[in-house]
Amino acid sequence: MRLNGKRAFITAAGQGIGRAVAEAMTAEGAHVVATDLKGDLLSDIKAAESFALDATDKDALQKAITVAKPDILVNCAGFVHNGTIADCTDEQWGFAFDLNCRTQFHGMQAALPGMVERGGGSIINVSSVASSIIAAPNRFVYAATKAAVIAMTKSVALDYVTTGVRCNCICPGTVDSPSLHQRWEDSGDYEAAKKQFIARQPMGRVGTPEEIAKLAIYLGSDESAFTTGHAHVIDGGWSVG
Ligand code: NAD
């Protein structure tokens, strides 16, 4: 198995991409510590350990990571705000950066000393193709946070490149997850919103969380030993042109 002997810590593992990553890493032999704001979502997850954790609670997050001693850290917690710059309130701006960026800052800060001491590790931050890579409609503050994730990823990768610790991020396109269905619901016309999202996909479909998890397995495993500091795009060709 590709992650035998490795320990992984994952935020937002209750559903969507985080859950698929947690279960795929478990299937590949990792000891997975799966966490989510909503503990009930973890009741049937296939992971060695699981518990409720608000990733925006700095002390709780950093303590949990220190105890878990992960070789692989997956910073997945994030929220999609819908709207242009005209719609964005200061509260939304603050919430978006607190959840999408500050949690990753705190998670990496807690995981790095142990990884360095043990001679290596792999940090996987979840960004998005809607970031500094492409603009998507109504993703003003969301894209700003996900661009910051790419910047943090590169900075950490460079500063730790000689320690054996690698830091990459995953930039998915549109992925089938509970929050995606909620966004379609919230648009007021579920079917029309779904059709519009699929229409912008060159492959004619959105991605699956399991497809994203396969990339996370690669980045978490030693197969990707020569890769650090990069934004790995997985978007069904959306950003190609
Ligand atoms: P989702 O949005 O359906 O689920 C998010 C999970 O995060 C939920 O289980 C929720 O309980 C948890 N969560 C929310 N606040 C939290 C907090 N404070 N602490 C811990 N957990 C918290 O899942 P998704 O759509 O797969 O999104 C996961 C990540 O992938 C996000 O960072 C998102 O921005 C990113 N992403 C998603 C897509 C997509 O199309 N689904 C595309 C690109 C990037």
Side-chain angles (χ1 to χ4, degrees):
M1 287 192 281
R2 296 158 76 193
L3 299 178
N4 253 347
K6 293 197 189 292
R7 299 174 62 84
F9 187 98
I10 306 176
T11 64
Q15 64 185 34
I17 293 170
R19 187 184 185 95
V21 170
E23 295 199 327
M25 287 192 170
T26 298
E28 288 293 350
H31 178 103
V32 172
V33 181
T35 68
D36 196 283
L37 177 67
K38 298 179 186 154
D40 53 315
L41 294 177
L42 299 166
S43 60
D44 61 346
I45 193 165
K46 295 183 188 75
E49 298 175 51
S50 63
F51 51 87
L53 177 71
D54 179 351
T56 64
D57 181 339
K58 177 183 178 182
D59 290 344
L61 175 70
Q62 294 201 323
K63 186 164 177 237
I65 291 173
T66 306
V67 170
K69 297 185 173 58
D71 305 295
I72 303 167
L73 171 68
V74 184
N75 280 316
C76 189
F79 179 77
V80 181
H81 281 98
N82 189 58
T84 68
I85 189 171
D87 307 313
C88 186
T89 64
D90 281 35
E91 287 68 33
Q92 287 176 342
W93 178 273
F95 180 88
F97 272 90
D98 278 351
L99 180 54
N100 298 6
C101 293
R102 201 192 295 261
T103 58
Q104 300 198 358
F105 153 45
H106 290 153
M108 291 192 284
Q109 194 177 52
L112 279 163
M115 287 180 171
V116 170
E117 205 180 294
R118 293 187 293 278
S122 175
I123 296 170
I124 303 168
N125 295 321
V126 179
S127 177
S128 172
V129 76
S131 54
S132 51
I133 299 172
I134 59 167
N138 293 307
R139 290 290 176 267
F140 169 69
V141 68
Y142 179 73
T145 63
K146 293 299 188 180
V149 168
I150 295 174
M152 288 194 293
T153 299
K154 287 180 185 286
S155 177
V156 169
L158 184 68
D159 288 340
Y160 285 83
V161 72
T162 59
T163 68
V165 178
R166 298 180 295 109
C167 182
N168 289 283
C169 63
I170 295 180
C171 300
T174 308
V175 177
D176 197 343
S177 71
S179 69
L180 177 66
H181 288 270
Q182 192 58 51
R183 287 193 288 285
W184 289 344
E185 201 75 66
D186 293 345
S187 74
D189 187 341
Y190 180 94
E191 284 307 324
K194 182 177 174 184
K195 214 171 146 191
Q196 188 194 352
F197 269 67
I198 291 174
R200 72 187 189 189
Q201 298 298 120
M203 286 187 185
R205 67 172 180 89
V206 299
T208 67
E210 291 72 27
E211 287 172 316
I212 310 304
K214 287 187 168 70
L215 178 53
I217 296 288
Y218 166 69
L219 291 174
S221 78
D222 298 336
E223 295 163 17
S224 60
F226 202 50
T227 302
T228 193
H230 279 286
H232 297 259
V233 172
I234 174 162
D235 67 350
W238 184 18
S239 60
V240 168

